[in-house]
DNA sequence: GTCGCGATTTGCT
DNA sequence: GCAAATCGCGACA
């Protein structure tokens, strides 16, 4: 059994957590295989309460209430009428913040079927993560569905820092992080529209 | 109550 | 390259 991430991990600021999550592992229960799929975290984005692009920006209303709960919880939201996105809640109780998981690399896959986990909507689809089944699960504790565990620590030189994808405000915040040269990265710099 | 749009992905032109 | 798919939430009436 792998070690969980320590409690202090989730007491760090959101930006630090977003970077530190790279290389850590995510255990996701596969109902069909009756086993956990294990993935390495490849790409993340940070969102904080003061950030206009964050759902918590307008306060603890609607779906954003989850963001103000205890750090380490899952925040799963439904977007574009058809996709879900997985985040982990950050910041102390009463403060809103989260880290979005944008890409994973499957490192143990009991079903041996192809898992498309390069993209926030795709990874939720591949791992059967939905708001109804996974929102507010404690990712910092072992549970039957979804949790985080220690993987490897990535040296700073292997982390690429860039701006976030798909938002219309705060587009200049360098709050997206991914593993350099990793094939699972959802969008490479080359593919991005020039400003 | 109604309107517009979003932390995306896919398929067609 | 671009638009469609499709629904929850915030803004406004």
């Amino acid at each position: 059994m792998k070690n969980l991430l320590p409690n202090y991990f989730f007491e760090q600021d959101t930006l630090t957590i977003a970077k530190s999550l790279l290389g850590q592992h995510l255990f996701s229960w596969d109902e069909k295989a009756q086993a956990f799929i294990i993935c390495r975290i490849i790409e993340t984005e940070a969102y904080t309460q003061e950030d206009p692009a964050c759902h918590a920006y307008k306060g603890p209303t609607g779906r954003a209430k989850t963001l103000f709960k205890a750090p380490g919880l899952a925040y799963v939201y439904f977007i574009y009428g058809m996709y879900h996105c997985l985040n982990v809640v950050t910041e102390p109780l009463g403060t809103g913040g989260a880290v979005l998981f944008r890409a994973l690399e499957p490192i143990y896959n009991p079903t041996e079927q192809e898992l498309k986990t390069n993209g926030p909507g795709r990874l939720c689809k591949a791992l059967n993560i939905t708001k109804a089944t996974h929102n507010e699960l404690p990712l910092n504790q072992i549970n039957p569905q979804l949790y985080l565990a220690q993987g490897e620590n990535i040296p700073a030189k292997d982390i690429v820092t860039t701006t976030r994808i798909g938002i219309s405000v705060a587009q200049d915040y360098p709050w997206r992080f991914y593993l350099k040269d990793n094939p699972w990265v959802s969008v490479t710099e080359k593919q991005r529209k020039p400003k």
Side-chain angles (χ1 to χ4, degrees), chain A residues 64-112:
Chain A
K65 282 198 290 282
T66 301
L67 292 168
F68 292 80
K69 296 191 177 183
L73 293 182
Y75 171 55
V76 183
Y77 66 87
F78 190 51
I79 189 69
Y80 296 117
M82 58 182 76
Y83 297 109
H84 296 272
C85 290
L86 172 67
N87 301 243
V88 60
V89 174
T90 60
E91 304 293 334
L93 214 56
T95 304
V99 173
L100 170 70
F101 293 69
R102 284 195 57 90
L104 306 172
E105 174 184 2
I107 55 176
Y108 175 70
N109 172 11
T111 62
E112 294 186 20

Side-chain angles (χ1 to χ4, degrees), chain A residues 94-172:
Chain A
T95 304
V99 173
L100 170 70
F101 293 69
R102 284 195 57 90
L104 306 172
E105 174 184 2
I107 55 176
Y108 175 70
N109 172 11
T111 62
E112 294 186 20
Q113 67 191 14
E114 191 187 2
L115 289 175
K116 283 172 279 188
T117 50
N118 58 324
R122 280 196 279 251
L123 72 88
C124 286
K125 193 177 164 197
L127 301 176
N128 288 310
I129 293 169
T130 66
K131 178 170 181 173
T133 56
H134 290 73
N135 196 36
E136 302 195 3
L137 283 176
L139 301 185
N140 53 345
Q141 298 167 212
I142 291 178
N143 68 64
Q145 285 161 291
L146 188 71
Y147 60 90
L148 291 162
Q150 285 185 6
E152 57 190 295
N153 293 315
I154 306 296
K157 69 174 176 57
D158 294 331
I159 297 178
V160 178
T161 301
T162 180
T163 53
R164 296 173 294 181
I165 305 278
I167 52 178
S168 57
V169 292
Q171 293 173 323
D172 55 331

Side-chain angles (χ1 to χ4, degrees), chain A residues 1-5 23-27 38-39 107 142 147-152:
Chain A
M1 180 59 72
K2 289 276 191 168
N3 292 322
L4 292 172
L5 294 173
Q24 308 304 331
H25 291 168
L26 183 70
F27 282 58
I38 308 173
C39 295
I107 55 176
I142 291 178
Y147 60 90
L148 291 162
Q150 285 185 6
E152 57 190 295

Side-chain angles (χ1 to χ4, degrees), chain A residues 44-65:
Chain A
T44 61
E45 283 179 5
Y47 289 86
T48 71
Q49 192 172 344
E50 299 74 29
D51 163 20
C54 181
H55 296 162
Y57 185 64
K58 289 165 188 163
T61 144
R63 61 186 173 181
K65 282 198 290 282

